Amino acid sequence: MRVNKYLKKTLTPLINDITVSMTDSLQLKIFQIDDDSKQSILIQMGNVWETFWNTVFSEYANNLLENGNLIKVDGKNRQIDHLFSSKDNADVLYYFESKCNLNFDSEKTPASNRKVAEVSETIKNENPEKETLHGYFIPCIIDVSPEMIKKYKNIKLYGVRDVLSILDGLPFTIEEFEHYLHTEGRKTFYKKYRWFWETDIGRQEMIEYLEAKGYTITKNKKKKRV
């Protein structure tokens, strides 16, 4: 299967724009371990998903966050991730918070759920003639597992298949999205890690890149012991 053109054009550049920083972990520094900040990369990748899906909603749905992503709840501004309706049915609003990591601790989970519920209630009050559905959108998995559904029984979880079922006319299928994740997406994201270039695949790509630039690469021959 070929990599979908829309995904490559829209999603790959966002992943390429991720800026890798070094870790600030004192626990690693005291052992003189200098490594990429995995947390920073993952946070930025979370922003990539949010940007990508809002682009999709702007092009193939009615994205209600075109003019900003803030909403007033009890007099305070709250930032929200996704709010849209399908082009075929503007009477149903979908409010999602994008989450790639649902392993919240016991304190964060209720607070996050409460925020989603309060925002959803505000949206309902502002749009009484419409139905509002809300929940967490996990933008990088195809289907939500039964284990996740059981763990988060107090709030609806949506996977990519759920969202694609809402929209019509998309330029990619669920199969093409999954194929992208396992090929182009994986390759692009993987290269953000410095240790990629320490693998056999990474070294070979570096050699091929340098040779394409006109450099001659020679391998050091091991000297025989006498």
Side-chain angles (χ1 to χ4, degrees):
M1 180 184 291
R2 291 184 178 181
V3 174
N4 179 274
K5 291 181 180 180
Y6 179 86
L7 295 173
K8 186 169 184 175
K9 177 183 177 182
T10 309
L11 189 48
T12 299
L14 295 175
I15 302 175
N16 269 325
D17 283 344
I18 290 176
T19 303
V20 180
S21 58
M22 304 310 293
T23 181
D24 290 327
S25 171
L26 295 178
Q27 296 190 74
L28 291 178
K29 290 184 181 298
I30 62 173
F31 295 115
Q32 296 182 323
I33 298 174
D34 197 18
D35 197 7
D36 298 336
S37 173
K38 306 299 188 295
Q39 184 67 13
S40 171
I41 295 174
L42 294 176
I43 289 173
Q44 290 181 73
M45 190 62 212
N47 294 334
V48 165
W49 287 123
E50 185 179 333
T51 300
F52 167 73
W53 284 106
N54 270 323
T55 299
V56 172
F57 297 147
S58 292
E59 295 178 355
Y60 297 96
N62 300 314
N63 189 353
L64 303 179
L65 300 183
E66 294 282 5
N67 298 319
N69 62 349
L70 296 178
I71 185 171
K72 275 199 179 298
V73 179
D74 294 333
K76 296 181 180 179
N77 282 328
R78 292 287 186 93
Q79 182 175 316
I80 63 178
D81 293 339
H82 304 298
L83 179 60
F84 67 96
S85 66
S86 72
K87 289 189 174 181
D88 291 337
N89 186 4
D91 291 331
V92 180
L93 301 180
Y94 297 90
Y95 157 54
F96 296 150
E97 288 297 325
S98 182
K99 298 289 182 185
C100 289
N101 179 14
L102 286 175
N103 294 318
F104 301 148
D105 60 36
S106 57
E107 292 183 1
K108 289 183 179 179
T109 301
S112 182
N113 291 354
R114 186 163 54 250
K115 177 220 172 177
V116 174
E118 289 173 352
V119 169
S120 179
E121 191 63 29
T122 298
I123 295 171
K124 289 179 182 178
N125 291 337
E126 293 179 352
N127 302 273
E129 76 286 1
K130 299 183 179 183
E131 180 183 6
T132 300
L133 302 178
H134 68 271
Y136 293 128
F137 173 36
I138 313 172
C140 53
I141 66 168
I142 305 301
D143 297 299
V144 181
S145 69
E147 291 77 17
M148 284 186 178
I149 294 174
K150 183 177 180 180
K151 183 176 181 180
Y152 289 87
K153 58 186 177 181
N154 294 325
I155 192 166
K156 175 75 173 176
L157 304 182
Y158 295 82
V160 173
R161 192 186 305 277
D162 298 315
V163 170
L164 263 61
S165 69
I166 297 169
L167 308 178
D168 291 323
L170 288 176
F172 60 91
T173 64
I174 196 71
E175 291 78 17
E176 288 172 329
F177 182 81
E178 188 169 26
H179 178 71
Y180 175 88
L181 293 181
H182 297 160
T183 54
E184 172 82 6
R186 179 185 184 278
K187 179 180 70 173
T188 308
F189 180 72
Y190 196 52
K191 288 180 181 178
K192 287 298 171 179
Y193 287 98
R194 186 177 55 169
W195 47 258
F196 168 78
W197 303 109
E198 299 174 1
T199 66
D200 290 339
I201 296 175
R203 281 194 292 267
Q204 183 59 37
E205 287 203 11
M206 180 61 76
I207 289 172
E208 291 173 358
Y209 170 78
L210 292 173
E211 288 178 338
K213 293 292 184 180
Y215 293 94
T216 299
I217 309 299
T218 59
K219 294 182 179 180
N220 293 327
K221 294 183 179 179
K222 292 182 179 180
K223 294 183 179 179
K224 293 183 179 179
R225 292 183 178 180
V226 179

